[in-house]
Amino acid sequence: MTSILNKTPVIALLGQPNSGKSTLFNGLTGLKQHVGNWPGKTVEKKEGYFSRGGMKYTVADLPGTYSLSANSEEEIITRDYIAGGRADAVCILADASQLERSLFMLADFAGIHTPAMLLLNMIDVAMEQGKEVDVARLQKSLGIPVVPFSATDTKHYDGFYQALEKVLQERPTLNTEGLRRQYMGLEGFSSICGEMPESGMGDYTPLWLAAKVIEGDAPVTKSVLELAGAGQKNVLEEQLKQIQNGALKTGECKFAWIDTLLDGAVRGKKQTASLGKFDRAATSRRWGKPLAVLIILLGLIAAFIPAAPFMMVGSLLPSVLSPLLTAGLTAIGSPQFIIGLVCDVGVNALYFAISMIGFVFGITLVFGFIEEIGYMARISYVFDNTMAKLGLQGKAIMPFLVSFGCTIGGAAGTRVIDNWGQRILTIALAWAVPCAATWAIVPMISSVFFGVWAPLVIVAIFAVAVLHMWITSKIFGRHLVKKEDRTGLIMELPPYHKPKWGSLLRYVFGRTKDVLIRALKVILLISLIFWLLSYTSDGNVENSVIYRIGTFIEPVTRFFGLGWQTFLAFISSAISKEAALGVLSSLYAGTGTIFSSTVGSTAQAANLGEILIANIAPAEALAFIFAVTFNIPCIVAVASTYQETHSAKWTGRIALYYVGMALLMAFVVYHIGVLLF
C-alpha cells in the first residue's frame, strides 16, 4: 500500500448536475459534513468525511458543471481543485441510463493527470430500460476502474469502496489515446499541441491544454502564452487565428470518442417510457407551465400533511411545559424574572421553532420527491426562458410558488438550484412574494379600513410585489449573477424512476435538523432581546424599554406614516407576520404583552376592528399594510436563508434591504393616502 494511505485521502466527486454527486456525498458522509463557500467566491463548497477500515477519508462534492471549460466560476474552481493536487482521487459520475451525453464530463476530464475512477450511477435505471453495460470492456478501454453503481443504495457501496482503494494504491490515470487520435484529425491540432509546455502545467497535460486553447478558454490560453517565449508566442497566436469554431470541433471529437467507447459496450434498446404522454405534456410549450404550477401547488398543499405533527407538538409545548416549569421554578424559589425568562423565552422560542420548522420538513420531503423521480428537471426546462428575464434558471419558479404558502419553504426549496449566486438571488426575490401568513392579516385590515375598496389594496400589493421583484433582481443580480452566467439552460432531462425512500428520508431529516438548529439559535437570540426590551415587572407596557424607545423615535417613524404603536407592530411582524395584529391588540386593547403577542399565542380583542378605526387614520393603515407585507417574512425565514446561503453577510444584506424597502413603501403609500383620504 502506498504512502497516500498514511494520510487522510481526499476524494473529489465530479459530475454533471443530476448525475447523483450529492446523493453519493450524503450517502458517504451522512451528517459528517459542512457547507460553506470557496474563499473569496460565491460558489458553494461542500466537504465531509467517512471512515472505513480504520481509515478516515475526506470527500469534496465539487460544483455540478457540464464541462471543465471556463464558462463559470464553478467550472474554474472544479478543474483547478482537481489539477491543483488537492484531490488524491477523482470519482467521475455518469448517468448509466444516458451515457452518450453524461460521459462528456469524462471526455473533458481526459488529459488531466489525476488518479480517477468512473462510477456508472443509476445502473438500476439503465437495467429497467433494458440496457446492459459491458463494464470490463469500458474499464479496459479507459484504463481506470469502472463501477456499476446506484448512489441511492447505500447498502451496496462495496464495489465503490474496493475501486477507491485500488485507485489510491495504484493511482491509475485515464487512457487518452483514443481521444488523442480524434483530436489529431483536427487541422492544426498537432502543431498547436507541439507548442504546449512539454511537461504540461501541474496536472494538465499538453493534450488537455491544447484542446482548451483551441476552444478559446481564456484563462488557459493566457497561462500558456505567459510561459511561451516571444517567438513561440507569436507562432501560437498565428496558429490560433486560423481556428474557427474550436469548441464545436473539439466537442465533436469528444462525442466521437464517446461513441467509440460505447460501441459494443452498451447493448439493448431503450424501452418506451410508460409516462410518454405525461412527459410530452410536461415538456410542451402549451401545457408544460400550467401542469408545473398545478403540481407545485398540489405539492404545497401536500407538504402540510407531514408538517402537521410538528405543528401539533409545537402548539402543545406552552400549555404543557410552561406550567410544569413554572411550578418547579416557583417551588425552588426562583425569582419571577428567571421564571419569565425560561417559560416565556425558552418555551415559546421552542414552540415557535418546532411549529414553523414542520413546514420546512414537509416542503423538503415533497419537493425532494419531485426531484428524485425526475420531474424537477422538466419544471426547469419549461420555465427557463421566463426565469432568465430575472437572471435565473427555470428551477427558481418552484421557490417562488412555494413562497405563496411559506417563505421558509421557498428558501429551503432553493436547494435544487445549482448556482450559489442564483440561489441567493432567488431567495432575495422570494422574500417579496406575500406568504399565507400575510394573507391572514392583510385582507382583515384592508376590509376594516377600506370596505368595498379592499380588493384594490390586494391588487396593488400584487402589482407592487412584481415591481419589487424586478427592482430587487436589478439591484442584487449584478452582484450575484454575472452576465456571462446568464446563458440558456443546457441539460439532459433525466428519465423518470422510482424514488429511493431511505436516501430521500436521510436527506430530509438531515436538512430539517440543520434548519431547526439554526432557527432555534436565531429565535432564542431575537426572543431574548425582544423579551428584555418588552419586560415589565408590573405588566404595564408603558414601563418597558421598548415603549420608551417607540415613543422617543415616533417623530422619525411618523415620517414613514407610522405611529409608535404601528411601528412596534411592524417590528414584531419581522418575527412573525401573525404578530402584527396581536401586538396592535395588546397595545390598544390590553389583551396581552407585546412579547406574548409576538412569539406566543394571545387572543385578540373581539372588537379589534372598531378599536383600530378609532385610533389609526386610513393613510397610516395603508402605510402599515404595505410595510408589514414587504417586511422581513419572519425570523425562521431568515434562519432558513442563512442555512441555504451559508453567508451571514448576504443574509444580513437581504434583511436590511427588505426593512429599508418596506419603510420606503410605507412612506410613499402614506403620502399617497394623505392625498386620497
Side-chain angles (χ1 to χ4, degrees):
M1 187 171 291
T2 61
S3 60
I4 190 68
L5 294 183
N6 293 328
K7 66 182 186 74
T8 301
V10 177
I11 316 303
L13 306 183
L14 175 66
Q16 298 175 345
N18 301 313
S19 62
K21 280 192 311 89
S22 295
T23 304
L24 174 57
F25 178 76
N26 292 329
L28 290 172
T29 64
L31 299 179
K32 302 170 184 176
Q33 55 183 256
H34 58 273
V35 184
N37 292 330
W38 295 88
K41 303 291 184 182
T42 58
V43 178
E44 187 176 84
K45 179 181 183 181
K46 294 171 65 176
E47 287 187 337
Y49 67 89
F50 69 94
S51 298
R52 182 173 173 82
M55 174 68 67
K56 181 178 178 180
Y57 300 82
T58 297
V59 185
D61 184 10
L62 299 178
T65 62
Y66 288 99
S67 70
L68 295 176
S69 299
N71 296 321
S72 65
E73 274 192 341
E74 286 87 349
E75 291 175 335
I76 295 174
I77 286 171
T78 296
R79 73 188 193 187
D80 287 352
Y81 184 92
I82 292 171
R86 285 183 277 183
D88 297 303
V90 177
C91 297
I92 305 170
L93 283 87
D95 181 354
S97 67
Q98 43 190 4
L99 287 174
E100 297 84 356
R101 290 292 177 263
S102 62
L103 282 179
F104 188 84
M105 177 61 79
L106 178 75
D108 219 31
F109 173 85
I112 297 180
H113 204 71
T114 303
M117 60 190 286
L118 175 64
L119 298 180
L120 303 181
N121 191 30
M122 292 184 267
I123 193 68
D124 51 338
V125 178
M127 293 173 65
E128 289 174 3
Q129 294 177 345
K131 293 181 179 178
E132 295 180 14
V133 182
D134 190 335
V135 174
R137 182 166 181 161
L138 275 179
Q139 188 163 282
K140 182 178 179 180
S141 300
L142 296 173
I144 58 174
V146 177
V147 183
F149 187 70
S150 177
T152 57
D153 188 2
T154 56
K155 295 181 179 180
H156 296 91
Y157 274 24
D158 289 345
F160 166 80
Y161 292 129
Q162 293 169 7
L164 177 60
E165 185 174 343
K166 182 177 180 180
V167 170
L168 292 173
Q169 288 178 343
E170 302 177 7
R171 302 184 61 76
T173 56
L174 186 62
N175 179 3
T176 60
E177 282 307 309
L179 182 58
R180 176 185 290 275
R181 287 193 294 271
Q182 296 290 339
Y183 281 154
M184 289 305 173
L186 290 180
E187 183 178 353
F189 185 92
S190 179
S191 57
I192 290 176
C193 190
E195 299 295 335
M196 296 299 105
E198 187 175 346
S199 58
M201 293 169 51
D203 279 352
Y204 297 133
T205 64
L207 181 76
W208 190 89
L209 293 172
K212 289 302 170 190
V213 167
I214 288 175
E215 291 170 10
D217 189 301
V220 172
T221 303
K222 181 181 177 182
S223 298
V224 168
L225 292 176
E226 286 176 351
L227 288 177
Q232 186 184 17
K233 180 179 179 180
N234 292 334
V235 170
L236 184 55
E237 288 177 338
E238 285 298 320
Q239 291 174 331
L240 292 176
K241 289 179 182 179
Q242 308 302 316
I243 303 293
Q244 300 293 327
N245 300 318
L248 179 61
K249 292 177 179 178
T250 59
E252 290 174 348
C253 291
K254 291 169 188 174
F255 281 119
W257 178 61
I258 293 171
D259 288 341
T260 302
L261 288 174
L262 299 182
D263 185 23
V266 178
R267 296 181 294 274
K269 295 182 178 180
K270 182 175 179 178
Q271 297 177 350
T272 303
S274 59
L275 295 175
K277 291 183 178 180
F278 174 83
D279 202 38
R280 283 194 293 273
T283 56
S284 73
R285 292 185 178 182
R286 182 178 182 182
W287 299 108
K289 291 179 181 179
L291 181 62
V293 171
L294 176 62
I295 289 176
I296 290 174
L297 292 179
L298 289 175
L300 184 61
I301 296 170
F304 281 97
I305 298 174
F310 289 88
M311 296 177 179
M312 187 178 298
V313 170
S315 64
L316 291 175
L317 284 178
S319 59
V320 175
L321 200 56
S322 290
L324 293 175
L325 289 173
T326 300
L329 291 172
T330 302
I332 62 175
S334 297
Q336 190 62 38
F337 179 85
I338 298 299
I339 295 175
L341 185 64
V342 172
C343 296
D344 286 344
V345 177
V347 174
N348 277 318
L350 188 61
Y351 141 72
F352 195 55
I354 292 177
S355 296
M356 300 191 78
I357 211 66
F359 197 70
V360 174
F361 176 83
I363 283 292
T364 307
L365 177 62
V366 170
F367 290 101
F369 170 80
I370 291 176
E371 183 173 27
E372 181 78 12
I373 63 176
Y375 180 65
M376 189 63 72
R378 274 76 180 173
I379 296 176
S380 302
Y381 172 74
V382 296
F383 276 102
D384 190 58
N385 288 336
T386 304
M387 293 295 100
K389 296 175 182 178
L390 295 174
L392 299 171
Q393 56 181 251
K395 291 180 181 179
I397 190 64
M398 189 273 284
F400 291 162
L401 293 176
V402 170
S403 292
F404 276 108
C406 180
T407 313
I408 305 167
T414 60
R415 169 58 42 174
V416 301
I417 298 174
D418 308 304
N419 181 283
W420 184 85
Q422 290 192 359
R423 186 181 305 166
I424 292 185
L425 181 57
T426 301
I427 293 175
L429 298 183
W431 277 29
V433 177
C435 65
T438 303
W439 299 120
I441 62 172
V442 167
M444 180 270 185
I445 301 177
S446 300
S447 60
V448 165
F449 282 92
F450 307 110
V452 295
W453 299 104
L456 288 180
V457 177
I458 306 300
V459 171
I461 285 175
F462 273 110
V464 170
V466 173
L467 178 62
H468 194 345
M469 293 177 73
W470 181 79
I471 293 173
T472 304
S473 71
K474 297 299 180 184
I475 294 174
F476 284 89
R478 59 183 178 178
H479 299 291
L480 292 169
V481 185
K482 296 179 181 179
K483 288 185 178 180
E484 55 267 28
D485 292 338
R486 302 187 181 196
T487 55
L489 187 67
I490 302 173
M491 66 182 300
E492 288 290 331
L493 295 180
Y496 293 104
H497 51 85
K498 297 177 182 178
K500 299 290 185 179
W501 288 106
S503 175
L504 178 59
L505 289 174
R506 279 193 300 273
Y507 165 74
V508 171
F509 278 110
R511 297 287 305 153
T512 305
K513 170 179 168 289
D514 290 343
V515 177
L516 176 60
I517 291 173
R518 292 187 187 276
L520 194 54
K521 290 178 181 177
V522 173
I523 292 170
L524 279 171
L525 177 61
I526 299 299
S527 296
L528 176 60
I529 295 172
F530 206 69
W531 183 79
L532 291 173
L533 291 175
S534 61
Y535 176 79
T536 60
S537 57
D538 58 3
N540 186 352
V541 67
E542 294 184 2
N543 294 327
S544 67
V545 175
I546 200 168
Y547 170 84
R548 295 171 186 171
I549 294 174
T551 53
F552 177 76
I553 66 172
E554 187 172 27
V556 177
T557 65
R558 279 294 178 192
F559 177 76
F560 300 106
L562 302 174
W564 72 268
Q565 296 96 332
T566 48
F567 183 75
L568 288 185
F570 164 74
I571 295 299
S572 296
S573 72
I575 298 177
S576 71
K577 291 288 194 238
E578 301 92 329
L581 286 180
V583 170
L584 289 178
S585 182
S586 68
L587 291 175
Y588 286 119
T591 54
T593 66
I594 296 176
F595 179 80
S596 63
S597 299
T598 302
V599 299
S601 53
T602 300
Q604 298 170 13
N607 60 337
L608 180 60
E610 297 175 8
I611 294 173
L612 294 180
I613 291 176
N615 289 276
I616 301 175
E620 181 180 349
L622 192 62
F624 177 71
I625 288 171
F626 276 82
V628 169
T629 298
F630 296 104
N631 193 15
I632 294 171
C634 69
I635 199 64
V636 183
V638 174
S640 185
T641 296
Y642 178 61
Q643 172 68 24
E644 297 305 326
T645 63
H646 314 290
S647 172
K649 179 180 72 174
W650 276 104
T651 302
R653 282 179 179 177
I654 295 172
L656 290 175
Y657 169 77
Y658 268 84
V659 172
M661 287 294 287
L663 291 175
L664 177 61
M665 289 184 196
F667 170 81
V668 173
V669 169
Y670 174 74
H671 286 85
I672 293 175
V674 169
L675 296 176
L676 294 176
F677 307 112

